[in-house]
Amino acid sequence: MRTPDYSLLSNTPDQRRLIYHVEYYSEPFLIFLSRNLPDFSSHGIDHTIHIIDNLNEFIKNWEIELTQDEALLLYLAAWLHDIGCIVDREKHHEVSADLFLSNINLVKDLTARYAICLKYIVKAHRARYPIESVPKEHENVRLRLISAIFRLMDACEICYPKCPKDVYEIIKDSFGETARTIWIAHMNILSLKFTRPRIQISVNDIDKCQFIIDNVNHEIDTIRDTFLENDLPIPIVKTI
């Protein structure tokens, strides 16, 4: 597995130490998520790294000026947001927050400020948690905006590496119809690029992956007001 690119950070010793602590805490959960999600597309460490790639490209191309705290929180959320899937898929956004907040040593290292922010970002990465429930700001962090950006970046992690074709060919006979449909859909999404104001998605067969594209559009609708409040262009999905 390749090393994540934390290029939005100044890479200070304090930043490196905190990222290492969160990586070290999250990795065992992410490695064993498949115990509870045997037929799902990947939500493991590769998913985390791809979200970090999305963040780097999106922030650059949308010309968003982040503070160091805001950038750090987005990277940390990438590691923490799905760990609750090891317990419960449907409520994993809540379980993920509960899990890391219950680790006394991790919370001590995060400090109350970062822990509170991450609680909201992690819970709000799913649309069933209203973005309007997130405070607009917390100690100079644009918390609602950061939560909206993270929700979008998670929704945009949809390309074919989530569901490798060679793996699919070996395990497909064990799948039910839903799992087979999900894997085939992701395998038909070739690339996703952020070219302000567009999210350009290249596909092989649109009929096989339209429901995933529809979900990206749905997630955009849930964060529309937050982007407008921050004078950011609303993403427009363009399928090729």
Side-chain angles (χ1 to χ4, degrees), residues 37-40 167-181 183:
L37 304 173
D39 296 342
F40 269 71
V167 176
Y168 175 77
E169 292 299 330
I170 293 173
I171 65 177
K172 64 182 179 180
D173 291 342
S174 68
F175 283 166
E177 182 177 352
T178 299
R180 188 174 291 110
T181 299
W183 274 67

Side-chain angles (χ1 to χ4, degrees), residues 93-94 120 123-135 144 147 151 222-223 226:
H93 56 305
E94 297 177 359
Y120 282 107
K123 285 188 174 183
H125 87 273
R126 295 201 77 191
R128 64 175 56 190
Y129 189 95
I131 205 73
E132 295 78 18
S133 298
V134 179
R144 187 179 297 175
S147 297
R151 178 184 291 185
T222 70
I223 62 172
T226 301

Side-chain angles (χ1 to χ4, degrees), residues 40 88-93 126 128:
F40 269 71
D88 186 324
R89 168 61 186 166
E90 289 304 311
K91 296 182 179 179
H92 77 271
H93 56 305
R126 295 201 77 191
R128 64 175 56 190

Side-chain angles (χ1 to χ4, degrees), residues 55-167:
L55 283 166
N56 293 336
E57 184 182 350
F58 179 76
I59 296 301
K60 177 182 177 181
N61 287 294
W62 244 251
E63 300 175 1
I64 302 173
E65 293 292 332
L66 296 179
T67 68
Q68 286 291 288
D69 282 337
E70 290 167 344
L72 179 60
L73 284 164
L74 285 168
Y75 287 143
L76 296 180
W79 284 99
L80 294 167
H81 74 287
D82 273 346
I83 60 174
C85 287
I86 202 165
V87 176
D88 186 324
R89 168 61 186 166
E90 289 304 311
K91 296 182 179 179
H92 77 271
H93 56 305
E94 297 177 359
V95 178
S96 295
D98 291 341
L99 281 174
F100 81 78
L101 289 172
S102 68
N103 187 293
I104 296 174
N105 290 330
L106 180 60
V107 171
K108 182 179 179 181
D109 205 18
L110 287 169
T111 73
R113 179 172 181 248
Y114 285 152
I116 290 171
C117 289
L118 283 168
K119 176 187 73 174
Y120 282 107
I121 300 169
V122 167
K123 285 188 174 183
H125 87 273
R126 295 201 77 191
R128 64 175 56 190
Y129 189 95
I131 205 73
E132 295 78 18
S133 298
V134 179
K136 286 188 176 181
E137 293 189 7
H138 181 73
E139 294 191 23
N140 297 319
V141 170
R142 293 169 293 177
L143 188 52
R144 187 179 297 175
L145 173 60
I146 296 305
S147 297
I149 290 171
F150 188 80
R151 178 184 291 185
L152 179 61
M153 295 302 96
D154 182 49
C156 286
E157 206 283 284
I158 57 175
C159 297
Y160 69 93
K162 289 181 70 70
C163 298
K165 186 177 185 300
D166 289 343
V167 176

